[in-house]
Amino acid sequence: MATLISGATRADDPVTDFFLGGIEDKAENLMEKARSEANAVAWGVADAAKSVIEAWKLSNAELLDKAFSGLSVQQRELFNNMDETLTRLENNQELVVRDAEKLTAEWSGVIKNLPFTNHDPEVLNYRPRVIVPIGEGTVPLVVTGPKLSSAEPSFNSSGKAMPVGRSTDHELLVQLNRGDLTFEETKSSFAQYKLTFDSKAFSWWQPWTWWSRDRITRDTTIWLLPKQMAAFTIVPMLPSEDVAAGTYGVQVGARGKDSAYPQNVPLAPLWVDQGYVYDAVAIAQNKFFSDAGGDKASCSGAKIDSIGPLKFTFMIQLGHRTVGGSKRDAWVNCNLALPIVKKTPSRVVGDEISGVLNWTDDKLQPLPEDTLDYTISLKMFNGRTHVLTKETSDPSGVVTVERVKQGILFKPKPPRDF
């Protein structure tokens, strides 16, 4: 864990001026940046951190001028953890969604346990800040703040009143219908609510509160994630060959009478050692040879069924010469310009494959049968794009990517509302 706070704080540094104000500024900057980048995870965590600090300062005014070292171990750990988390987000490091769920829940719990006995009604926190398109039909929205239950709270959306439950003196409960929320297909949207309450809580033993109707309005903004969790692009790597062509020149010849003469033509070791073989198809076309002089004989060409990678049989047709009424040997020389090739295994980029993922359904994306490797680009719901290989996984933690026999299997792991 980071030690930024304890390492940088002097014994007489007040908590609020030196540290809490810095975290608040960091949280506000992150919220603005996250909203511009459509990063719901960062926005929700930064907003939750900001609420915790504001609530803690309100509840612990007497500690604000004390040194950081004077806080309890739990309080120091809370602020250290908060600062470390925001710094990670500030440095564009990914925060796993499960961590966001855990942190916002823990930080909301901190606010619930703060003492607000002497404070007027106020909204200090609400949860969830981010709602996913799938889940239970009812989403419990919990609003926390001192004396809200006795401050005649009312909650509305676009002017339409909604029932408000009171869980404790400092906690309100509004049941949102997930089906009434508008989730866009590919981009985030926001649900805006207004909570109105009296500036002074009603107490039967304080008559001056009986007719107090100074109303305060607070806005509650909830980030609605898109129905499409991610769009993916897969670029497969397929097997290929690099081909280098050359020519092996050699001369062969024969002498004899009235016969077909087979001449074995092995590929020279010089070429074999470099990885070359005969180009069998080109040799079979029999366009690689020419006569280099002779008498009553001719160069016929390759014996097709003899052509191999390192040797073949070249046929020479011999006739005869007639001298003084007798048959004499015929002869011929043949120049061969033999086509050779060297094939080296390589890889080539295949056709791009694209698709989309939702929050609930597994997706099996077939790959070309001979795929050697692949690269996946995932454009996630939070505005971030990640490039994955066989050795990496989605850093946001909401989908697993597996290489299976049939292709790529995407398995969503939908988060809870947080």
Side-chain angles (χ1 to χ4, degrees):
M1 179 173 290
T3 56
L4 170 65
I5 301 170
S6 57
T9 306
R10 300 187 308 273
D12 57 349
D13 281 326
V15 175
T16 180
D17 291 342
F18 184 79
F19 184 58
L20 293 188
I23 298 183
E24 279 186 291
D25 290 342
K26 188 180 293 187
E28 289 177 357
N29 292 337
L30 275 172
M31 287 175 65
E32 182 177 350
K33 177 184 177 186
R35 187 150 184 168
S36 69
E37 296 176 349
N39 190 338
V41 178
W43 180 86
V45 171
D47 194 22
K50 186 170 177 289
S51 293
V52 172
I53 294 170
E54 291 174 346
W56 189 90
K57 288 166 67 175
L58 181 64
S59 177
N60 294 278
E62 73 281 359
L63 296 177
L64 294 180
D65 292 330
K66 294 195 175 187
F68 178 80
S69 58
L71 301 180
S72 69
V73 173
Q74 291 82 2
Q75 289 170 331
R76 291 200 302 270
E77 289 180 351
L78 168 68
F79 295 137
N80 266 318
N81 175 259
M82 194 176 295
D83 184 64
E84 182 182 278
T85 300
L86 296 180
T87 298
R88 285 175 56 196
L89 294 173
E90 200 173 46
N91 293 333
N92 292 317
Q93 296 181 33
E94 192 75 14
L95 183 66
V96 177
V97 173
R98 304 295 178 204
D99 290 343
E101 294 174 359
K102 178 182 176 183
L103 290 174
T104 54
E106 288 179 354
W107 295 349
S108 294
V110 169
I111 295 177
K112 286 174 60 176
N113 295 323
L114 292 174
F116 298 111
T117 307
N118 300 321
H119 296 289
D120 291 331
E122 186 53 270
V123 174
L124 298 181
N125 188 46
Y126 62 92
R127 191 173 186 271
R129 285 171 167 78
V130 179
I131 296 180
V132 296
I134 53 102
E136 297 293 333
T138 300
V139 180
L141 174 64
V142 179
V143 183
T144 305
K147 303 179 183 177
L148 285 177
S149 292
S150 56
E152 295 297 319
S154 65
F155 197 81
N156 72 81
S157 171
S158 301
K160 181 181 178 181
M162 303 175 67
V164 180
R166 297 161 173 81
S167 343
T168 67
D169 289 343
H170 307 309
E171 194 171 84
L172 305 178
L173 180 62
V174 180
Q175 300 290 355
L176 305 180
N177 185 348
R178 200 183 303 266
D180 293 337
L181 302 174
T182 303
F183 296 97
E184 305 265 351
E185 191 66 34
T186 60
K187 63 180 181 178
S188 296
S189 56
F190 296 88
Q192 304 284 348
Y193 301 95
K194 290 188 180 296
L195 176 64
T196 306
F197 52 91
D198 289 344
S199 60
K200 300 288 184 181
F202 171 83
S203 299
W204 63 268
W205 66 88
Q206 295 176 319
W208 62 88
T209 67
W210 296 354
W211 299 280
S212 174
R213 297 297 295 173
D214 290 338
R215 302 289 283 175
I216 294 175
T217 300
R218 293 290 182 257
D219 292 327
T220 302
T221 301
I222 298 178
W223 194 308
L224 306 178
L225 296 182
K227 295 178 183 178
Q228 179 178 298
M229 181 184 70
F232 67 84
T233 300
I234 304 174
V235 178
M237 298 298 295
L238 306 177
S240 183
E241 283 184 326
D242 293 331
V243 179
T247 302
Y248 167 44
V250 66
Q251 188 177 88
V252 296
R255 177 181 291 272
K257 294 191 298 242
D258 301 328
S259 63
Y261 185 88
Q263 176 72 57
N264 187 40
V265 186
L267 183 59
L270 170 67
W271 297 108
V272 174
D273 292 345
Q274 296 180 58
Y276 281 87
V277 296
Y278 280 133
D279 186 342
V281 173
I283 290 176
Q285 295 175 8
N286 278 321
K287 297 180 180 180
F288 60 86
F289 61 90
S290 61
D291 286 353
D295 192 2
K296 304 303 180 181
S298 61
C299 307
S300 298
K303 187 173 183 291
I304 302 301
D305 61 2
S306 74
I307 302 173
L310 300 179
K311 64 181 180 178
F312 72 97
T313 300
F314 185 78
M315 301 303 297
I316 299 173
Q317 186 62 45
L318 300 171
H320 63 270
R321 292 180 297 124
T322 302
V323 178
S326 62
K327 294 181 179 180
R328 303 290 180 89
D329 285 348
W331 64 274
V332 71
N333 290 322
C334 306
N335 284 334
L336 310 185
L338 297 166
I340 56 176
V341 294
K342 178 170 69 173
K343 297 181 179 180
T344 305
S346 64
R347 298 183 175 195
V348 65
V349 176
D351 293 337
E352 190 174 272
I353 304 167
S354 299
V356 298
L357 306 175
N358 61 35
W359 294 95
T360 55
D361 301 323
D362 290 358
K363 171 80 173 181
L364 177 60
Q365 179 58 60
L367 293 177
E369 187 173 336
D370 52 354
T371 298
L372 300 173
D373 203 350
Y374 58 85
T375 300
I376 301 174
S377 293
L378 276 178
K379 183 173 178 57
M380 302 300 296
F381 66 94
N382 61 358
R384 301 291 293 273
T385 296
H386 305 291
V387 178
L388 312 179
T389 65
K390 288 190 295 188
E391 288 73 35
T392 57
S393 58
D394 161 42
S396 62
V398 296
V399 59
T400 59
V401 183
E402 298 178 13
R403 178 70 162 100
V404 296
K405 184 177 180 180
Q406 301 92 332
I408 302 295
L409 179 61
F410 298 95
K411 301 178 71 173
K413 300 188 294 182
R416 300 185 301 271
D417 307 313
F418 61 94

